[in-house]
Amino acid sequence: MEKLLVTGVAGGVGTRLRKLMKGVYPSIRWSDIRKPDDLAADEEFIAADLSQLAEVEKIVAGVEGIVHLGGYSVEGPWETILQANIVGCYNVFEAAYRAGVKRVVFASSNHAMGFYPRDKRIGINMPVRPDSRYGVSKTFGEAIGALYADKHGLRVTCLRIGNVGDVPLDQRRLAIWLKPEDLLALIRIGLEHPDIRYEIFYGASDNADSWWDNSNARRFGYHPQGNGGEFLHQAMAAQAELPPDPIGDRYQGGPFCSEEYDAGRAG
Ligand code: 15L
């Protein structure tokens, strides 16, 4: 990849990736709605509001590959999700197509599948079960990625990211933790592997109690280095500090499931 664009670079995941990707790819254009505070003089940054197609076309111009992290990263009001994640995601794929971009790696989320119970092991061929408007927007991103791959030949990889961080933060995150270096490995497969057409991978490290069958990623050579189980005691200690959440604790999406939950209402 001669030139890459990474959207959403000022966010939590973007900030970590910026440090890791710099050493791997020689020419990267970073973008976000706001400039990161610690941008170095030799880093290229162009601000863009993803809900504006003309702005997205500017950041996409001249790149071969895109890592699309941008958008709203948690549950939010419908209008926010609609503009940032649905219109924004359409704009990224449409601008990529118009500009002749070859590959897109889309940051989907575990919340596309959040209403599967924790005792169910799921693969990539199960129906989506989003747990929030945010989760629905990620299923939209996966679907529009499939459309641009199948109809226009864009090479698209969707990463259903668990939780990216130095350590797993609680019991749920023990199962879905993604070490930043493992995220980079998944992104590299999406940007470089010759056989990518349209693929979905789970964004998880080699966690002992994972709910996800990530054999598709392994088929493409993914060998995760992280193992959430190494942090079992500190994650369980953090869990013990959390208030009880009977609905969230039942489902993979955790608090995204219990927020606004009133399924009993319909009788
Ligand atoms: C996500 O998709 C969010 O972007 C992130 O902020 C976390 O909430 C993560 O999921 C999670 O499930 O822990």
Side-chain angles (χ1 to χ4, degrees), residues 73-74 109-111 134 162-163 172-173 176 256:
S73 66
V74 288
S109 167
N110 70 93
H111 297 290
Y134 167 71
N163 189 258
R172 186 176 75 91
R173 262 76 78 93
I176 68 166
F256 284 64

PDB file of all heavy atoms in Angstrom, residues 73-74 109-111 134 162-163 172-173 176 256, ligand 1:
ATOM      1  N   SER A  73     -18.538   6.119  18.708  1.00  0.00           N
ATOM      2  CA  SER A  73     -18.043   4.797  19.101  1.00  0.00           C
ATOM      3  C   SER A  73     -18.813   4.124  20.232  1.00  0.00           C
ATOM      4  O   SER A  73     -18.395   3.071  20.721  1.00  0.00           O
ATOM      5  CB  SER A  73     -16.568   4.891  19.472  1.00  0.00           C
ATOM      6  OG  SER A  73     -16.440   5.679  20.619  1.00  0.00           O
ATOM      7  N   VAL A  74     -19.925   4.720  20.648  1.00  0.00           N
ATOM      8  CA  VAL A  74     -20.767   4.077  21.677  1.00  0.00           C
ATOM      9  C   VAL A  74     -22.237   4.347  21.317  1.00  0.00           C
ATOM     10  O   VAL A  74     -22.515   4.981  20.303  1.00  0.00           O
ATOM     11  CB  VAL A  74     -20.462   4.609  23.105  1.00  0.00           C
ATOM     12  CG1 VAL A  74     -19.118   4.104  23.598  1.00  0.00           C
ATOM     13  CG2 VAL A  74     -20.504   6.128  23.151  1.00  0.00           C
ATOM     14  N   SER A 109     -18.067  -3.803  15.095  1.00  0.00           N
ATOM     15  CA  SER A 109     -18.003  -3.929  16.551  1.00  0.00           C
ATOM     16  C   SER A 109     -18.695  -5.210  17.018  1.00  0.00           C
ATOM     17  O   SER A 109     -19.614  -5.718  16.357  1.00  0.00           O
ATOM     18  CB  SER A 109     -18.696  -2.726  17.192  1.00  0.00           C
ATOM     19  OG  SER A 109     -18.919  -2.959  18.569  1.00  0.00           O
ATOM     20  N   ASN A 110     -18.278  -5.669  18.190  1.00  0.00           N
ATOM     21  CA  ASN A 110     -18.971  -6.789  18.844  1.00  0.00           C
ATOM     22  C   ASN A 110     -20.444  -6.464  19.057  1.00  0.00           C
ATOM     23  O   ASN A 110     -21.274  -7.363  19.167  1.00  0.00           O
ATOM     24  CB  ASN A 110     -18.269  -7.153  20.150  1.00  0.00           C
ATOM     25  CG  ASN A 110     -18.415  -6.128  21.258  1.00  0.00           C
ATOM     26  OD1 ASN A 110     -19.312  -6.211  22.077  1.00  0.00           O
ATOM     27  ND2 ASN A 110     -17.535  -5.125  21.298  1.00  0.00           N
ATOM     28  N   HIS A 111     -20.794  -5.177  19.083  1.00  0.00           N
ATOM     29  CA  HIS A 111     -22.185  -4.805  19.363  1.00  0.00           C
ATOM     30  C   HIS A 111     -23.120  -5.054  18.179  1.00  0.00           C
ATOM     31  O   HIS A 111     -24.336  -4.912  18.318  1.00  0.00           O
ATOM     32  CB  HIS A 111     -22.242  -3.376  19.887  1.00  0.00           C
ATOM     33  CG  HIS A 111     -21.514  -3.255  21.186  1.00  0.00           C
ATOM     34  ND1 HIS A 111     -21.978  -3.824  22.349  1.00  0.00           N
ATOM     35  CD2 HIS A 111     -20.290  -2.725  21.484  1.00  0.00           C
ATOM     36  CE1 HIS A 111     -21.094  -3.625  23.324  1.00  0.00           C
ATOM     37  NE2 HIS A 111     -20.058  -2.953  22.822  1.00  0.00           N
ATOM     38  N   TYR A 134     -26.181   1.972  17.935  1.00  0.00           N
ATOM     39  CA  TYR A 134     -24.762   1.886  17.541  1.00  0.00           C
ATOM     40  C   TYR A 134     -24.451   0.533  16.872  1.00  0.00           C
ATOM     41  O   TYR A 134     -23.835   0.485  15.800  1.00  0.00           O
ATOM     42  CB  TYR A 134     -23.906   2.085  18.802  1.00  0.00           C
ATOM     43  CG  TYR A 134     -22.457   1.727  18.656  1.00  0.00           C
ATOM     44  CD1 TYR A 134     -21.589   2.507  17.902  1.00  0.00           C
ATOM     45  CD2 TYR A 134     -21.943   0.583  19.294  1.00  0.00           C
ATOM     46  CE1 TYR A 134     -20.256   2.158  17.776  1.00  0.00           C
ATOM     47  CE2 TYR A 134     -20.606   0.244  19.176  1.00  0.00           C
ATOM     48  CZ  TYR A 134     -19.771   1.035  18.417  1.00  0.00           C
ATOM     49  OH  TYR A 134     -18.447   0.689  18.286  1.00  0.00           O
ATOM     50  N   GLY A 162     -13.718  -6.295  19.615  1.00  0.00           N
ATOM     51  CA  GLY A 162     -14.164  -6.456  20.998  1.00  0.00           C
ATOM     52  C   GLY A 162     -13.837  -5.196  21.782  1.00  0.00           C
ATOM     53  O   GLY A 162     -14.458  -4.162  21.605  1.00  0.00           O
ATOM     54  N   ASN A 163     -12.823  -5.263  22.631  1.00  0.00           N
ATOM     55  CA  ASN A 163     -12.400  -4.074  23.370  1.00  0.00           C
ATOM     56  C   ASN A 163     -10.882  -3.951  23.304  1.00  0.00           C
ATOM     57  O   ASN A 163     -10.161  -4.843  23.752  1.00  0.00           O
ATOM     58  CB  ASN A 163     -12.862  -4.153  24.822  1.00  0.00           C
ATOM     59  CG  ASN A 163     -12.630  -2.833  25.546  1.00  0.00           C
ATOM     60  OD1 ASN A 163     -11.679  -2.695  26.308  1.00  0.00           O
ATOM     61  ND2 ASN A 163     -13.478  -1.853  25.305  1.00  0.00           N
ATOM     62  N   ARG A 172     -16.467  -9.330  31.194  1.00  0.00           N
ATOM     63  CA  ARG A 172     -16.876  -9.403  29.787  1.00  0.00           C
ATOM     64  C   ARG A 172     -15.682  -9.166  28.871  1.00  0.00           C
ATOM     65  O   ARG A 172     -15.495  -9.839  27.868  1.00  0.00           O
ATOM     66  CB  ARG A 172     -17.971  -8.355  29.511  1.00  0.00           C
ATOM     67  CG  ARG A 172     -18.570  -8.447  28.112  1.00  0.00           C
ATOM     68  CD  ARG A 172     -19.699  -7.451  27.946  1.00  0.00           C
ATOM     69  NE  ARG A 172     -19.203  -6.106  27.785  1.00  0.00           N
ATOM     70  CZ  ARG A 172     -18.921  -5.522  26.611  1.00  0.00           C
ATOM     71  NH1 ARG A 172     -19.105  -6.184  25.484  1.00  0.00           N
ATOM     72  NH2 ARG A 172     -18.467  -4.293  26.569  1.00  0.00           N
ATOM     73  N   ARG A 173     -14.879  -8.213  29.231  1.00  0.00           N
ATOM     74  CA  ARG A 173     -13.749  -7.849  28.383  1.00  0.00           C
ATOM     75  C   ARG A 173     -12.631  -8.917  28.409  1.00  0.00           C
ATOM     76  O   ARG A 173     -11.769  -8.920  27.532  1.00  0.00           O
ATOM     77  CB  ARG A 173     -13.223  -6.458  28.733  1.00  0.00           C
ATOM     78  CG  ARG A 173     -13.756  -5.361  27.809  1.00  0.00           C
ATOM     79  CD  ARG A 173     -15.196  -4.934  28.064  1.00  0.00           C
ATOM     80  NE  ARG A 173     -15.366  -4.063  29.189  1.00  0.00           N
ATOM     81  CZ  ARG A 173     -15.375  -2.723  29.127  1.00  0.00           C
ATOM     82  NH1 ARG A 173     -15.260  -2.104  27.975  1.00  0.00           N
ATOM     83  NH2 ARG A 173     -15.555  -2.014  30.215  1.00  0.00           N
ATOM     84  N   ILE A 176     -13.431 -10.694  25.259  1.00  0.00           N
ATOM     85  CA  ILE A 176     -13.428  -9.951  23.981  1.00  0.00           C
ATOM     86  C   ILE A 176     -12.228  -9.015  23.836  1.00  0.00           C
ATOM     87  O   ILE A 176     -12.185  -8.208  22.923  1.00  0.00           O
ATOM     88  CB  ILE A 176     -14.742  -9.141  23.807  1.00  0.00           C
ATOM     89  CG1 ILE A 176     -14.840  -7.996  24.824  1.00  0.00           C
ATOM     90  CG2 ILE A 176     -15.954 -10.061  23.889  1.00  0.00           C
ATOM     91  CD1 ILE A 176     -15.925  -6.979  24.495  1.00  0.00           C
ATOM     92  N   PHE A 256     -24.488  -2.497  26.910  1.00  0.00           N
ATOM     93  CA  PHE A 256     -25.197  -2.004  25.719  1.00  0.00           C
ATOM     94  C   PHE A 256     -26.567  -2.694  25.616  1.00  0.00           C
ATOM     95  O   PHE A 256     -27.495  -2.145  25.024  1.00  0.00           O
ATOM     96  CB  PHE A 256     -24.392  -2.269  24.439  1.00  0.00           C
ATOM     97  CG  PHE A 256     -23.229  -1.342  24.214  1.00  0.00           C
ATOM     98  CD1 PHE A 256     -22.156  -1.311  25.078  1.00  0.00           C
ATOM     99  CD2 PHE A 256     -23.197  -0.508  23.107  1.00  0.00           C
ATOM    100  CE1 PHE A 256     -21.064  -0.472  24.859  1.00  0.00           C
ATOM    101  CE2 PHE A 256     -22.114   0.343  22.873  1.00  0.00           C
ATOM    102  CZ  PHE A 256     -21.053   0.357  23.760  1.00  0.00           C
TER     103      PHE A 256
HETATM  104  C1  15L B   1     -17.278  -0.807  21.255  1.00  0.00           C
HETATM  105  O1  15L B   1     -17.688  -1.069  20.129  1.00  0.00           O
HETATM  106  C2  15L B   1     -16.960   0.583  21.645  1.00  0.00           C
HETATM  107  O2  15L B   1     -16.497   1.356  20.572  1.00  0.00           O
HETATM  108  C3  15L B   1     -16.005   0.655  22.795  1.00  0.00           C
HETATM  109  O3  15L B   1     -16.036   1.959  23.309  1.00  0.00           O
HETATM  110  C4  15L B   1     -16.349  -0.354  23.898  1.00  0.00           C
HETATM  111  O4  15L B   1     -17.579  -0.007  24.478  1.00  0.00           O
HETATM  112  C5  15L B   1     -16.410  -1.738  23.297  1.00  0.00           C
HETATM  113  O5  15L B   1     -17.266  -1.772  22.193  1.00  0.00           O
HETATM  114  C6  15L B   1     -16.850  -2.789  24.319  1.00  0.00           C
HETATM  115  O6  15L B   1     -17.775  -3.560  24.027  1.00  0.00           O
HETATM  116  O7  15L B   1     -16.237  -2.867  25.364  1.00  0.00           O
END
